[in-house]
Amino acid sequence: MEVIDLCDTTAEEDDIQYIVDDNIDFRGFSALDHGSEDSDEEFVLPDFGEIRSSQPQPSQVKTTRKRTAEPDVIDLEDSQPEEVPPPRKRGRKDPALTAGEKAEKAAQRKAEAERKKLEKENEKRLKAQQKEAEKAAKEAQKNADKAHNALNALVSSKGETLVDLTIQIPRALWDSETFKKIRETLEERLRNEYETASSKPAPVTWKPVAVKEFDEDARFGGIDNLITWKRHVYARYDEVNKQWEPVTPSWQVQGVYLMYFNLMELLRIYNGSENELSRRLGVLRRVLGRHHQLFIMIEGFHSSTSNSNFKRGEKPKLEQLFVKLQLEHNCFIVHSPAKDSTVNWLCNLTGDIGRKPYKLIESSHLPFYSQKDGVPKIEGGDHKSTLGTYQNMLYQINSVKEPLIRNMTSKRFPTLRSLFEAYQDPTKPEREKESLLIGIPMNPASRARAVTVGRVISSRVYSVFTADNGLNLVGGK
């Protein structure tokens, strides 16, 4: 219920109800109570000041506003704000602390500040170390990827592999005047070949031609004219992952050996003993075995001025001896007319040795051929026909050329299905299936001497068409 001041002129008359207390003095209103309507007495208004002075307490006179809902009662005493204590001043020192306690607290605050500072410095240092470690790891991974890509880059030129090889020459041959010009020209030629193929300068540390170590000479019974090759090996081929993997670098002697003779040295050895050449080759074969390649290079044997150096009937005897040596010791005779030809031959042989492992792996995988790759259109076939597709599949296999494909598809196995049925025949043993292509002509019919398929190529075709793993090496023998 609201309490309304009676002197409030804004209150509406209809909204005010007067509650009269018995203690209120209404003597000023006697004329109203006892007078009549016809009374001639003058009506005197009461003194409202006196009435206001004699006004009861607010608890005695109350007014109510008509409301439909329950009225609110406002307690004027409750509306007074509560006293808020004044804020405590910061930094007040407790006067009760002694000087020692103050010093101890100051030392504690200083130690805590030092500890926090040290923690921040350690955290900052650890973050910097972690950032440096992550940066180093990224750089190492980047370098590893770069080295891996360089290691597995396609090698398509002999000159690119020359930097990994060194020609080893015996001391006696190195110091001889007849070979001095050859080795100097050879070293310059090898460097030029490498720089041309790789488009970058040759390493300063690379020694294309070097003196062979004495202990290697001793292995071969004092043979002083044996030239060898060694390779800087820093990767091996992983047949499972089909990629080159790095290994600990090392030098490995290659399986190629060459005995160098100029004409005058050859005649001196031959005239001393006709069996000396055969003896030397016999020593090499006993040390090396039958699987290493052995060359005998003779310089000046077929030159225009060589005939004057032979005795009567000596040249035919030497030619017969060369044939005998090839048959007995499985070696190759190489004739060089002059020193320039010797340099060219040694340079080419070095390039062949350098590219040999890459070439074997390259020929051990089936390349992808399209019509744009120069695949010949074999007679009777078409690139878009079933027969043409069958012939292109055969053409992908190493050493399987056009004449063999034509003879194979026209006479022996005209369709791919016929070839598969022969390979899957359960009545034939495995070795017989590998030999199905033996005897098929490999050269055109116009050739006087017929060359037929042997066991190696026949077995290779069988492996290609029956292997379960498409990533297996086919073989490049």
Side-chain angles (χ1 to χ4, degrees):
M1 178 180 293
E2 296 183 2
V3 179
I4 300 175
D5 191 351
L6 293 177
C7 297
D8 186 0
T9 61
T10 61
E12 297 182 4
E13 184 178 358
D14 295 338
D15 295 336
I16 299 176
Q17 296 179 1
Y18 297 93
I19 303 174
V20 181
D21 196 305
D22 294 338
N23 296 324
I24 299 177
D25 186 2
F26 288 98
R27 287 176 295 177
F29 295 93
S30 58
L32 296 176
D33 295 336
H34 302 284
S36 61
E37 297 179 357
D38 299 330
S39 178
D40 295 330
E41 294 181 6
E42 183 180 2
F43 175 73
V44 181
L45 293 174
D47 187 356
F48 285 99
E50 293 180 1
I51 294 175
R52 186 175 183 85
S53 62
S54 61
Q55 179 181 341
Q57 297 297 324
S59 59
Q60 296 174 342
V61 180
K62 298 181 181 179
T63 62
T64 59
R65 187 181 300 272
K66 296 179 181 179
R67 298 180 182 272
T68 58
E70 183 179 354
D72 295 333
V73 178
I74 299 177
D75 191 350
L76 297 178
E77 295 181 358
D78 293 342
S79 62
Q80 298 296 328
E82 297 182 358
E83 292 186 2
V84 180
R88 183 177 180 180
K89 294 184 180 180
R90 300 183 65 177
R92 288 180 65 184
K93 296 182 179 179
D94 192 350
L97 294 177
T98 64
E101 292 174 341
K102 293 178 181 179
E104 183 180 356
K105 284 195 172 185
Q108 291 177 354
R109 288 194 297 270
K110 183 177 180 181
E112 182 67 15
E114 290 292 335
R115 185 186 65 80
K116 291 182 178 180
K117 181 180 179 180
L118 185 61
E119 286 181 355
K120 289 182 178 180
E121 291 179 353
N122 292 336
E123 183 179 358
K124 185 177 180 180
R125 185 173 64 255
L126 290 177
K127 287 183 178 180
Q129 292 177 352
Q130 184 178 3
K131 187 176 181 180
E132 288 294 330
E134 293 176 354
K135 183 179 179 181
K138 289 182 179 179
E139 188 68 21
Q141 184 62 37
K142 181 179 178 180
N143 293 334
D145 294 341
K146 184 178 180 180
H148 180 270
N149 294 336
L151 200 64
N152 288 273
L154 179 64
V155 178
S156 58
S157 173
K158 296 179 182 180
E160 298 179 39
T161 64
L162 293 177
V163 72
D164 298 329
L165 295 173
T166 294
I167 303 177
Q168 301 183 107
I169 300 173
R171 174 67 66 182
L173 191 59
W174 180 278
D175 294 336
S176 65
E177 290 296 329
T178 57
F179 197 79
K180 181 179 180 181
K181 181 65 175 178
I182 293 176
R183 64 179 174 83
E184 291 176 352
T185 307
L186 179 61
E187 183 165 359
E188 182 180 358
R189 172 78 178 274
L190 291 174
R191 286 187 177 276
N192 292 336
E193 289 281 344
Y194 170 75
E195 292 176 353
T196 302
S198 61
S199 300
K200 57 185 178 181
V204 180
T205 57
W206 175 40
K207 296 182 179 180
V209 182
V211 181
K212 187 166 62 174
E213 302 297 334
F214 174 78
D215 56 349
E216 294 185 3
D217 293 343
R219 290 174 53 206
F220 306 114
I223 299 175
D224 58 0
N225 62 336
L226 185 65
I227 299 175
T228 58
W229 284 261
K230 66 177 182 179
R231 181 194 299 273
H232 186 215
V233 178
Y234 47 84
R236 66 173 182 85
Y237 189 74
D238 187 353
E239 295 186 2
V240 176
N241 297 320
K242 308 304 177 187
Q243 62 183 4
W244 291 94
E245 298 291 346
V247 296
T248 303
S250 62
W251 287 92
Q252 295 182 2
V253 178
Q254 302 301 290
V256 180
Y257 298 82
L258 183 142
M259 293 180 67
Y260 170 80
F261 298 96
N262 59 34
L263 180 59
M264 301 307 296
E265 181 68 15
L266 177 67
L267 292 176
R268 186 186 65 80
I269 295 174
Y270 177 75
N271 292 328
S273 173
E274 295 183 359
N275 296 325
E276 178 62 20
L277 291 177
S278 181
R279 185 196 70 81
R280 293 191 180 190
L281 292 176
V283 172
L284 290 178
R285 278 305 176 197
R286 283 194 297 272
V287 176
L288 302 177
R290 304 290 296 181
H291 300 291
H292 292 77
Q293 287 184 313
L294 182 58
F295 295 88
I296 299 176
M297 175 179 283
I298 303 171
E299 183 183 304
F301 190 85
H302 291 296
S303 64
S304 58
T305 60
S306 63
N307 292 332
S308 60
N309 297 317
F310 293 107
K311 298 178 182 180
R312 184 184 297 270
E314 191 175 36
K315 188 172 184 179
K317 290 182 179 180
L318 283 171
E319 291 177 341
Q320 292 178 2
L321 177 62
F322 296 155
V323 175
K324 180 182 178 181
L325 294 176
Q326 292 183 78
L327 296 175
E328 289 182 353
H329 302 288
N330 190 25
C331 62
F332 302 93
I333 306 296
V334 179
H335 291 285
S336 172
K339 286 181 172 54
D340 292 340
S341 178
T342 301
V343 171
N344 292 337
W345 207 94
L346 289 174
C347 186
N348 292 332
L349 181 58
T350 304
D352 290 337
I353 295 172
R355 194 170 183 270
K356 183 178 180 179
Y358 303 99
K359 187 175 181 180
L360 288 176
I361 294 173
E362 179 182 329
S363 62
S364 298
H365 293 283
L366 296 181
F368 176 78
Y369 286 113
S370 65
Q371 189 174 355
K372 298 179 181 179
D373 292 329
V375 179
K377 181 180 178 181
I378 302 173
E379 183 179 355
D382 184 7
H383 289 294
K384 297 182 180 180
S385 66
T386 304
L387 178 59
T389 303
Y390 173 36
Q391 291 173 339
N392 286 342
M393 293 170 65
L394 294 171
Y395 194 79
Q396 290 178 270
I397 304 174
N398 185 44
S399 300
V400 178
K401 304 302 180 184
E402 182 180 351
L404 171 57
I405 297 174
R406 184 188 299 110
N407 295 326
M408 179 178 171
T409 56
S410 63
K411 299 177 181 179
R412 189 74 65 90
F413 301 102
T415 63
L416 180 60
R417 177 168 183 167
S418 63
L419 181 63
F420 265 109
E421 288 177 348
Y423 282 152
Q424 295 176 356
D425 189 351
T427 62
K428 295 179 180 179
E430 191 80 8
R431 187 169 180 82
E432 183 178 349
K433 295 177 184 179
E434 293 180 354
S435 306
L436 286 177
L437 304 183
I438 294 178
I440 299 178
M442 295 182 61
N443 56 349
S446 58
R447 295 286 181 87
R449 180 174 174 268
V451 179
T452 59
V453 176
R455 181 172 296 277
V456 173
I457 296 180
S458 180
S459 176
R460 186 179 302 158
V461 175
Y462 173 78
S463 300
V464 170
F465 281 97
T466 60
D468 295 331
N469 185 3
L471 296 178
N472 283 341
L473 295 181
V474 178
K477 299 179 182 179

